[in-house]
Amino acid sequence: MEQLVHTRYKIISMRKRISVVAVMLVGIASLGLTPALAVDERVIDIVSVSWAGSAPLPVTVEQLAVVVNTEVNASWKSFTTLVGNTQDRSVSFVSGKILSDAIALNAKMACSGAAASEFMSFVRAEAYRRLGIDDYSKRYLMIASPKAGCIWSGRAPLGSSTSRKGTVVLHDSGEAFIIVHELGHTFGLGHTNFLRCDDGKKDGAWSDTCKAVEYGGTVDVMGNKATNSPLNTYHQWRMGLLEDSQVKQIWQSESVNLVPSDFAQGIRAIFLRDGNAAYWIEYRRTLSGVGYKPGLVIFRIDPPPIASVVSLNPEDTTANEFGEELSTDVWMLNLDSYRYSNSKFINGSMTALTAATYSGNISFSTVASETGAMVAVKIKPDVTPPPVPVLLPFSEWRFPGIEITKRGYTDADTAIASFQGLIDGKIKDLPITPIDNWRPTYLNPFSAPLTVHVRDLPEGTYTFALRATDVAGNVSQWSPSMKITIDLGRPVVTSDVRISTISGDQISTTWTGAKDIGSGLCLTNLVNSDGLILQSSTAKSAPVIKLTDGVLLHVTAQIFDCLGNGISGDLSVVNVLAPADKSSRTGKWLSAGISFGTGALKCSGKCTASFSVQDRIDVLVGTGAAMITSGTKILATVPDSKVTKLRIGASVDTGIGRKVIRVSGSDFVLIGLASIKASFTDSKDIDRQPTITDPSLSDAKQVALAKYGFSASDLSQEWKVLPMNDGTTLIDPSLDLCNGVYKSEKDRIERRQVIATKNDSPYSFLSSEVVRYSSVGAAQSAQRELVTALAACQIDKGFKNPAGGQMSYLFSEIKNLPQGLLPENSRVLVRTQIDSGMSARQLLGIYQFNGAIFTGLYVMKSGESEFSDSQISSWLDMAVVLANRLRG
């Protein structure tokens, strides 16, 4: 029986607790190959587990070490050693340390879900603690488990081509092939499956007739039969054993000289598309004991709908549909007499010298030899023009990086090669650039499709239409004309900041140095070092900046015009106050500190106060009238006021150089002179990025929950904020601190958890979660359970994991709490280091409850280095924002 729970995507989404794993079938014979050495030698440490009443293992850990050193090692050396390779990329595996005594669990091994993933995590940590190995970042661990009722014999987390570590779990097995297969998953390889058409056809559209049989492509070790046959070239490409240049992508009829799949040099695979089907073709030569004839092997890499998947694992039938991302799996076609029922009932060859795609548009014929195959690919000529380009409404052309055609515009048969614009009636070839933020897809695995962005168009106002030409030379019709204005000029930004109003210690300023003479400003964000937006303005000019008296504001400023052209730079702003009592004075002055603050003075009779100043200053006064002079020159007059309130009496620009100014009058209150010191440095051009679409917000319940957690508008545009896998469901737990017991989990009725990611993030995990409980009482119970779990964890300094090992928690006090958090009886604050050494991670968790709603803010980073004070302060401020949202 089989189970498939690993992801099929190249890009793997982070989940809160569940890691992605692959599993393998029971009952496979070993390979029996001879040992070999390789330049890239990797170490596998071996341990076992047991529990009360568990059966004995079928093999000892010592016997598993022998299997690793012989059969497993020889297999991977063979798979990664290519004929004629001038660069040794071969990989070998050797056994490392062995833990003779089993790790005793307090319950039997879990077979699936979060518990199974956690099992691998805590056993790995406990194993290396007992083995005395602190740094296991480049080591593999094999865990031998007795029979636990699982339907699989092996499982391993899905790694990547650059992975140099992994965990393999053997379930009641010691078979070499199981180990070899699971190690393939640690390299990021999925399964070699089988496309089986019940009507006997070799190929077909995914349907009830043509199905995807898990593991059924036994042409190599990533199926479910032991074989010394080379890895398929798609998986070799995924591993980096095959360069992009060694895959020939073709659009029109031509002949290609393919070298055998186990050769290092030359063209080793053909990739082509036929509509929405994607084909990967390789040539297999005669090899001893492989069970197939020399000839072509063809794989489909376009994934099937879940309804077409044949698997004994019931989870597969309820899995999410595949996306367009590049799959880790392939689906082998039967070009000859191949038959597959399960791993024990396989016969026939899957290769052939001739083949055709199910549409009939493409056929292959081959003249083969032991050193290569000349493959004649005949493709029905494409004479169909591309569809008419559908342009986005001009109102949506707000960013230079916007594609002006609706997303997904392409040619059905080939690909778009170029675009032309009709600009005020004149045809002009347009620059073409790859789509932004491209990731490999099964239809475009090597290069991004071409498009036209706003930034590719000439500046000016004109009527515009677009047409496309495909690689076959077919030309589309023109799109409907529209009137457009393209402005690619960027905002002009200086450090000119002026005070506008003062209220207590809060100072409101206008950034008069930020302007755009074209479309005007549309967005100004002030961003801290963590990417949190501290202030934001949509003013068309002179955006407002708020200051606290005497506190330096040091941020990254991002200023965008209304077409997305932007400037980013380091902005520092601070106000400087010269109080009245620091001036040189004549006349009678009395303290006015009670009404106007420390340093304020009231003139009784006729008075003058003198200051030495430079640049621009604001004269702060209270009641009365005054005059501002420099020498004999009157700079400004302050109008009379009877209101006992701080006001800006006059703003004066004294010009270059230091000067003495005098504030003169009768019976008036002088508070002082205020000035702004500002700098804007290290500026660079940036483009505003389009907002990422969140499909979950089509659900009204998710929209309602979204207003409580953080969103993309809370963070700078470098961050992406989207729901986690299953983050809009109740599948994953919400409260899991310190392995506590949370009966309130059953009382959750709605949940939304989002994760924030960006390139080079300092955080390994950054997330907010919102939960709606069935009642206020249920939410209060959840808060009490959290308090109880935290108290026990603090006393015990962690908890015992199922392997009996201590999962350590080192708690720290959170100091200088800001005002605005929910009351102590409605919150739980956690700052702790979990585990130690290379497994250490820092957690800042802020849990807040109001009514029936809970919000959690989770910040995590790897290592033993604690959060900095500025990081703690930054996320506490974010927690205040979330608290205010909870209050409504």
Side-chain angles (χ1 to χ4, degrees), residues 20-350:
V20 236
V21 296
V23 298
M24 181 58 205
L25 217 201
V26 296
I28 310 298
S30 60
L31 298 177
L33 301 176
T34 56
L37 298 177
V39 173
D40 185 357
E41 184 176 88
R42 307 188 182 202
V43 176
I44 302 178
D45 304 303
I46 306 171
V47 302
S48 62
V49 296
S50 66
W51 53 86
S54 62
L57 293 171
V59 293
T60 65
V61 289
E62 291 77 14
Q63 289 171 323
L64 285 173
V66 173
V67 173
V68 168
N69 290 329
T70 54
E71 301 173 71
V72 172
N73 175 55
S75 292
W76 275 104
K77 174 66 188 259
S78 172
F79 298 153
T80 54
T81 303
L82 303 174
V83 177
N85 199 355
T86 58
Q87 180 183 0
D88 190 354
R89 298 179 179 178
S90 56
V91 177
S92 71
F93 287 95
V94 296
S95 63
K97 288 195 173 185
I98 298 172
L99 192 64
S100 297
D101 295 332
I103 297 174
L105 308 180
N106 56 23
K108 76 174 182 178
M109 178 183 71
C111 295
S112 62
S117 300
E118 290 171 346
F119 163 80
M120 283 191 286
S121 178
F122 68 68
V123 170
R124 183 177 176 89
E126 181 64 17
Y128 282 110
R129 185 186 70 80
R130 297 190 188 192
L131 289 170
I133 298 174
D134 294 326
D135 184 359
Y136 45 91
S137 60
K138 294 183 179 180
R139 301 179 78 95
Y140 293 75
L141 181 70
M142 186 186 302
I143 304 169
S145 169
K147 184 181 288 292
C150 308
I151 63 173
W152 46 267
S153 288
R155 64 188 290 134
L158 192 67
S160 71
S161 61
T162 58
S163 297
R164 296 190 60 84
K165 65 178 180 179
T167 303
V168 173
V169 181
L170 298 179
H171 172 234
D172 193 37
S173 175
E175 296 288 348
F177 171 61
I178 301 293
I179 302 169
V180 171
H181 176 101
E182 296 306 324
L183 287 172
H185 292 314
T186 70
F187 288 108
L189 308 185
H191 289 139
T192 303
N193 305 308
F194 175 38
L195 190 157
R196 183 180 67 199
C197 293
D198 295 340
D199 58 6
K201 293 181 179 179
K202 308 300 184 186
D203 185 22
W206 297 117
S207 62
D208 291 339
T209 301
C210 292
K211 301 173 183 176
V213 182
E214 289 295 318
Y215 301 98
T218 58
V219 69
D220 63 25
V221 74
M222 298 315 292
N224 68 345
K225 181 181 179 181
T227 177
N228 60 359
S229 173
L231 293 173
N232 66 70
T233 52
Y234 181 82
H235 282 153
Q236 290 185 46
W237 174 65
R238 294 298 301 266
M239 284 185 64
L241 297 174
L242 186 152
E243 305 295 336
D244 287 1
S245 61
Q246 294 182 283
V247 184
K248 179 72 172 177
Q249 181 171 5
I250 60 178
W251 300 103
Q252 296 171 314
S253 297
E254 66 175 289
S255 294
V256 180
N257 187 13
L258 277 184
V259 300
S261 61
D262 59 332
F263 278 33
Q265 307 298 324
I267 300 299
R268 301 176 57 203
I270 298 170
F271 172 76
L272 50 80
R273 291 161 35 177
D274 187 0
N276 285 322
Y279 295 85
W280 188 282
I281 300 96
E282 66 185 26
Y283 172 66
R284 297 239 166 187
R285 66 187 178 110
T286 301
L287 292 171
S288 175
V290 296
Y292 52 75
K293 305 171 187 176
L296 300 181
V297 178
I298 299 181
F299 302 96
R300 289 268 293 276
I301 66 169
D302 55 296
I306 295 302
S308 295
V309 173
V310 176
S311 174
L312 295 178
N313 174 22
E315 292 181 8
D316 288 340
T317 61
T318 58
N320 293 329
E321 293 291 344
F322 292 91
E324 63 178 13
E325 292 89 348
L326 197 63
S327 174
T328 59
D329 287 14
V330 293
W331 291 266
M332 183 193 77
L333 273 59
N334 171 27
L335 302 182
D336 191 12
S337 58
Y338 182 73
R339 295 291 182 271
Y340 175 90
S341 296
N342 56 50
S343 61
K344 296 181 180 179
F345 298 98
I346 305 170
N347 57 66
S349 174
M350 69 291 292

Side-chain angles (χ1 to χ4, degrees), residues 395-552:
S395 60
E396 297 182 21
W397 296 23
R398 299 190 306 273
F399 315 105
I402 282 283
E403 299 171 33
I404 66 173
T405 59
K406 287 195 173 179
R407 188 74 174 184
Y409 174 75
T410 188
D411 183 65
D413 298 309
T414 54
I416 301 300
S418 63
F419 289 94
Q420 290 179 313
L422 189 63
I423 298 175
D424 282 342
K426 295 181 180 180
I427 298 175
K428 178 180 176 61
D429 291 334
L430 297 177
I432 50 174
T433 50
I435 64 172
D436 292 335
N437 302 315
W438 172 76
R439 291 178 177 177
T441 66
Y442 63 83
L443 289 178
N444 294 287
F446 305 111
S447 59
L450 301 177
T451 190
V452 178
H453 296 90
V454 170
R455 60 173 175 257
D456 299 322
L457 299 176
E459 288 195 85
T461 298
Y462 45 83
T463 54
F464 176 78
L466 183 72
R467 72 180 181 186
T469 302
D470 66 22
V471 295
N474 303 301
V475 182
S476 76
Q477 295 294 313
W478 290 105
S479 67
S481 293
M482 62 168 60
K483 193 80 169 180
I484 65 172
T485 298
I486 301 299
D487 168 20
L488 300 180
R490 297 184 183 278
V492 176
V493 183
T494 68
S495 58
D496 189 5
V497 178
R498 303 183 180 186
I499 294 174
S500 55
T501 61
I502 298 177
S503 177
D505 66 347
Q506 297 301 298
I507 300 171
S508 182
T509 70
T510 54
W511 192 358
T512 54
K515 62 187 71 174
D516 184 82
I517 61 175
S519 59
L521 300 182
C522 261
L523 182 66
T524 301
N525 286 333
L526 305 185
V527 182
N528 73 6
S529 58
D530 281 310
L532 276 173
I533 296 175
L534 303 182
Q535 298 182 41
S536 185
S537 171
T538 57
K540 296 287 284 185
S541 63
V544 172
I545 298 176
K546 296 180 179 179
L547 303 176
T548 297
D549 183 27
V551 178
L552 173 68

